[in-house]
Amino acid sequence: MNLHEYQAKEILRAHGVHIPPGRVATTPDEAEAIAREYGTAVMVKAQVHAGGRGKAGGVKFCKTPADAKEKASAILGMSIKGLTVEQVLVTVAADIGTEAYVGIIVDRATKKPVFMVSAAGGIDIEEVAATTPEKILYVPVDVRYGLPTYDAMRMGFFLYPDVKLARGAAKIMQQLYAAFMASGCSLAEINPLVVTPQGELVAVDGKMVIDDNELDRRPEIAALRDERSEEPSEVDARNANLTFIKLDGNVGCVVNGAGLAMATMDLVKYYGGEPANFLDIGGSSNPEKVVNALRIITADPNVKAILFNIFGGITRTDDVANGIVTATKANPLKVPIVIRLTGTNEEIAMKILQENGFTASSDMDTAVQQAVALAQGGK
Amino acid sequence: MSVFIDKHTKLVIQGITGRDGSFHAKQMMEYGTQVVAGVTPGKGGQRFEGTVPIFNTVMDAVQATGANTSVIYVPPPFAADAIMEAAAAGVSLVVCITEGVPVLDMTKVYPFVKERGVRLIGPNCPGLITPGESKVGIIPGRICTPGPVGVVSRSGTLTYEVVYQLTRAGIGQTTCVGIGGDPINGTNFIDCLAAFEKDPQTKAIAMMGEIGGTDEQEAAEYVKQHMTKPVVGFIAGQTAPPGRRMGHAGAIISGSSGTAAEKLEAFAAAGMGIAKRPIDFVELIKARL
């Protein structure tokens, strides 16, 4: 789960990181009022889950409250990478001397949280890693001991030769690490970490990504989810305990298991079609899940054919068949459906489907080819 | 022969009285796995299905029964502790089926099991099966048959699909291992490739990877440097959009890294066979046996 910049900053501030004051506005008038209250130049920043906000015109410097109102009015409602801006952060503009990058990710290779720091801040760290990898220092952390001061100082000196700044940066590393662990992050970053002309260290932008598996035990973090910033069908699916990702094609896919779901999408593409979604109904076989899956998929007007691909291991294929029958009785389908079932209780499932006027095959390639042809208006 | 488990495997099941644990305990017993003990705190002294003794702790179970392998079906908040408990109790192999274990928990668990020389498979995996001898986990027994192919995969149902196709074509398996779909897991592709290379019965390997991370690329390099046996690979997620978690916590393209294209390139550079579709494994493996 992605947090908004303002949410990440609130968490970092609570851990002691120095961050310029800021508040969220949803209307131009609110933005003006906040800017007036601060009585200084502000930044107005779009709060959407997308990179490249600045390039898209979603981040503006404003000298006066009237200016903040005007810029907020332009940014609110604008679309950045397909996401509508519903709120802006109005925050005191910092004087920028130098900019550094400080981030932590869970690294799959070392199986540890790893710090990445670079004096080349303010830009995309992936770009720095690709073009000038020597400008990044990587420091893995053994979570059993936490971030030792000597490692934090090593990173501080990598960024700043001055011992006072190095110490200040080391303290921020430890605060960032504490926030990362306390919030169940898979990524946390401060970019840029700014040294002002007065020699102060200030976090000007912050980002946090939370491991979805942490949300059950961290209700206060789960409550930060902003459903307005997500695809409505994906919110619907999550509430129905389905894993669903909307795509642009016209073959709606219902599959059990993430790997098989991906392989099914790939096979649709292999046979010349385009998948409309990723959808994993999971391992347990509950007819209700099938009903919800069909409802979500048929709500997408792009879907011209529906493909079921079920390999029954733990999932009982007769439960899936019952789900298909129940769902289509309640809401008759307007698009053709192709069903592939094999595995646990396959014979019972086939019988249920036949009695209700459906045909099904047990071969994945045949079913995918049929679904692609139907979506393209073939027979 | 086989890798990791065989007919001598003595299994303790953590969470044996839970919904998933009890269902799969019966399936494993029916398959012929030696299930010697179960663990559910507070139910020590009882018996599962009237036969398998239940203990309060894994330590008790190991001391009383000599169990050498554990399989875990406990809910995600308790899974990390269950893995450490098993490793501390002295089993040599721990298989964690549980899906949804927080990745920061795994950053603690991984060094714990490594330092004790214990092999962990998973979490978020279907387990493993040595057809005809032993099954530890949830892979359906009837889709497998004994034979010369080693199977290793990050996925569950996709593995079943490929194994089923192989079995239907008359190609059996030495051992099928599901290493799991999480970003941090105990056993990676290279561990399995090395085990299959050493196993005299394994003549060829089918490997199913997916988007996210660099495990497949490193495995390809390993194949090039160290493997004498043929390996056929597949990558799921060629049509996956970047930045989105495709069901498995580990199946995510981060920025421009972890794409299917980059993994398939690594396979090609290592001289591996490449299955474009799951069904292609049948002909590619047949040609290499």
Side-chain angles (χ1 to χ4, degrees), chain A residues 11 23 29 37 51 53 61 67 90 102 109 113 128-129 156 164 169 174 202 222 243 247 249 299-300 337 343 372 375:
Chain A
I11 292 173
R23 283 217 310 278
D29 286 339
E37 186 189 315
R53 291 176 301 166
F61 175 76
D67 195 13
V90 183
V102 179
V128 180
K164 193 165 154 267
Q174 279 169 324
V202 179
T243 313
L247 302 169
D300 177 355
I337 182 169
V372 169

Side-chain angles (χ1 to χ4, degrees), chain B residues 242-260:
Chain B
R244 302 303 306 272
R245 165 174 153 168
M246 305 302 283
H248 290 158
I252 180 165
I253 298 167
S254 311
S256 54
S257 98
T259 63

Side-chain angles (χ1 to χ4, degrees), chain A residues 108 111 126 143-144 211-214 217 234 245 256-257 260 265-267 270-271 311 340 342 344 365, chain B residues 100-103 105 107 110 115 142 154 157 161 164 185 237-239 244-246 250 254-255 277:
Chain A
R108 302 162 75 130
K111 304 180 196 293
E126 274 217 359
V143 295
R144 296 172 300 175
D211 175 3
D212 289 355
N213 292 345
E214 294 271 1
R217 66 180 179 191
E234 293 182 7
I245 293 168
N256 66 323
L260 190 59
M265 286 164 39
D266 295 349
L267 206 57
Y270 179 89
Y271 286 115
F311 197 107
R340 184 273 175 138
T342 193
T344 311
D365 287 71
Chain B
V101 182
V103 70
D105 285 4
T107 62
Y110 185 82
E115 284 164 7
R142 58 183 164 69
R154 269 167 75 182
T157 46
E161 181 77 45
Y164 177 65
N185 51 18
Q238 300 179 45
T239 48
R244 302 303 306 272
R245 165 174 153 168
M246 305 302 283
S254 311
R277 304 170 297 171

Side-chain angles (χ1 to χ4, degrees), chain A residues 153-172:
Chain A
M153 279 303 285
R154 187 155 68 95
M155 291 188 279
F157 278 122
F158 182 77
L159 296 179
Y160 310 109
D162 173 66
V163 67
K164 193 165 154 267
L165 283 176
R167 276 210 182 93
K171 196 171 158 207
I172 289 173

Side-chain angles (χ1 to χ4, degrees), chain B residues 24-147:
Chain B
H24 290 289
K26 282 179 225 161
Q27 301 269 314
M28 287 186 277
M29 288 158 74
E30 273 168 33
Y31 194 76
T33 305
Q34 282 193 65
V35 178
V36 298
V39 171
T40 298
K43 295 194 177 168
Q46 300 179 15
R47 284 186 183 264
F48 176 77
E49 293 286 292
T51 55
V52 180
I54 301 176
F55 299 87
N56 285 325
T57 68
V58 182
M59 192 83 75
D60 290 346
V62 169
Q63 278 169 2
T65 66
N68 58 15
T69 297
S70 167
V71 64
I72 295 172
Y73 292 95
V74 308
F78 315 111
D81 193 69
I83 295 169
M84 293 193 285
E85 182 186 0
V91 299
S92 56
L93 174 66
V94 181
V95 181
C96 183
I97 307 300
T98 308
E99 174 173 10
V101 182
V103 70
L104 288 176
D105 285 4
M106 289 309 300
T107 62
K108 241 190 294 179
V109 167
Y110 185 82
F112 187 95
V113 298
K114 279 286 147 180
E115 284 164 7
R116 283 159 181 80
V118 173
R119 172 164 303 287
L120 168 67
I121 296 179
N124 189 14
C125 79
L128 63 169
I129 184 166
T130 292
E133 296 194 25
S134 183
K135 132 171 167 156
V136 175
I138 62 175
I139 299 175
R142 58 183 164 69
I143 63 171
C144 306
T145 192

